[in-house]
Amino acid sequence: MAEATGIKEIIKPENLVYRKTPLMTDNILHYCPGCGHSTAHRILAEIIEEEGLQQDAIGISPVGCSVFLYNYIDIDWQEAAHGRAPALATAIKRLLPDKFVFTYQGDGDLAAIGTGETIHACNRGENFLIIFINNGIYGMTGGQMAPTTLPGMRSSTSPAGRDVKLMGNPLNITDIIATLQGTYYVTRQSVHSPASVRKAKRAIRKAVQYQKLNKGTCFVEIVSNCPSGWKMSPTQANKWMEENMFPFYPPGDLKVPEEM
């Protein structure tokens, strides 16, 4: 009896480091082991809960690995056609300006078929948040080369590595976004370690809070891995990401508000 009482004294809210946010549903995540999407989902749900936005949040889920995001976070969602999430977010935010609106997109959805939608929404300064997951590959459809695939990086359609002379240079879309007048806050983070998760969460929280200021588009890139597409274990993929992805897509703020 005394032992049970002692356990109850330990189980306090401040001690529940791994408490599950109630915004995450009980649906089983479909992602491959080690994928960064799961962690990104978790910190996004935590922020929406902690900021008291569950009733006001409207997310736009894309076409890609995260197409079923609406099954995992208990808020209002809209599904967008491939690459059209920024256009849908624009319409929703203009019709419902008091709502917190965000898109969640992969590199194929955002930086390939959706490049035009992304750039023009950001250039107009639409007042919503874009979360961009960049793993340098088309993860859902078989590991094909993406616009973000690195020079020399292997994929199912570049088995010998990306040849820049033949296939062109990688598209560093976030650096382009940071130059547009309509963007207010642009940052690049990762979620592959506890320290990086904390930094990513702080960055997304800032972007969420900035939307209340109605100053323009906030853009958060998460450089992630794709163990299945890269044909590596999760540990190997994280190491490869640090050694190869980060030099080309370095984590850190690219554009911050002047008052910061």
Side-chain angles (χ1 to χ4, degrees):
M1 189 70 177
E3 182 180 353
T5 303
I7 293 175
K8 289 181 180 180
E9 291 177 353
I10 294 173
I11 302 177
K12 297 178 180 179
E14 60 268 27
N15 294 331
L16 294 178
V17 179
Y18 299 107
R19 180 186 69 88
K20 177 184 176 182
T21 170
L23 266 66
M24 292 294 292
T25 69
D26 292 329
N27 294 325
I28 298 174
L29 296 174
H30 72 280
Y31 300 111
C32 302
C35 176
H37 276 299
S38 301
T39 305
H41 288 10
R42 168 64 186 257
I43 61 177
L44 175 61
E46 288 178 350
I47 292 168
I48 293 173
E49 177 200 357
E50 292 163 4
E51 294 293 319
L53 293 171
Q54 182 176 14
Q55 300 302 317
D56 293 317
I58 302 176
I60 317 298
S61 57
V63 174
C65 287
S66 53
V67 66
F68 297 123
L69 177 52
Y70 50 77
N71 283 331
Y72 305 136
I73 302 179
D74 186 17
I75 59 172
D76 289 329
W77 290 94
Q78 288 286 325
E79 178 65 47
H82 202 186
R84 308 307 177 219
L88 185 54
T90 296
I92 292 173
K93 186 64 178 181
R94 290 190 180 194
L95 290 169
L96 302 169
D98 293 333
K99 298 295 184 180
F100 165 64
V101 180
F102 68 94
T103 73
Y104 184 104
Q105 302 171 259
D107 44 3
D109 188 85
L110 183 145
I113 192 171
T115 308
E117 300 282 0
T118 301
I119 289 177
H120 286 287
C122 290
N123 196 51
R124 292 193 305 268
E126 301 293 345
N127 192 43
F128 56 80
L129 164 63
I130 295 175
I131 298 175
F132 166 44
I133 308 298
N134 175 16
N135 57 23
I137 205 170
Y138 291 154
M140 184 184 74
T141 54
Q144 298 92 337
M145 186 182 71
T148 51
T149 302
L150 300 176
M153 183 176 176
R154 292 184 176 91
S155 72
S156 62
T157 51
S158 59
R162 179 174 191 154
D163 183 345
V164 171
K165 291 183 179 179
L166 180 64
M167 303 165 181
N169 294 290
L171 180 63
N172 194 330
I173 186 69
T174 304
D175 281 31
I176 295 173
I177 295 301
T179 67
L180 302 178
Q181 293 184 357
T183 52
Y184 188 65
Y185 175 57
V186 180
T187 187
R188 180 185 294 116
Q189 303 293 331
S190 68
V191 291
H192 70 295
S193 69
S196 67
V197 169
R198 289 191 290 270
K199 291 179 181 178
K201 186 173 181 179
R202 285 196 294 267
I204 295 175
R205 188 187 302 279
K206 287 180 184 179
V208 170
Q209 294 173 342
Y210 287 153
Q211 190 169 137
K212 301 172 185 177
L213 304 178
N214 198 26
K215 296 287 188 178
T217 311
C218 290
F219 191 99
V220 179
E221 175 184 353
I222 303 292
V223 181
S224 188
N225 59 16
C226 184
S228 296
W230 294 357
K231 311 300 182 187
M232 302 176 186
S233 70
T235 301
Q236 291 171 333
N238 282 341
K239 183 178 180 181
W240 193 93
M241 179 175 61
E242 291 178 340
E243 294 175 350
N244 298 275
M245 295 284 281
F246 287 176
F248 197 89
Y249 303 112
D253 292 337
L254 284 78
K255 185 176 186 178
V256 296
E258 293 181 1
E259 57 265 32
M260 290 181 65

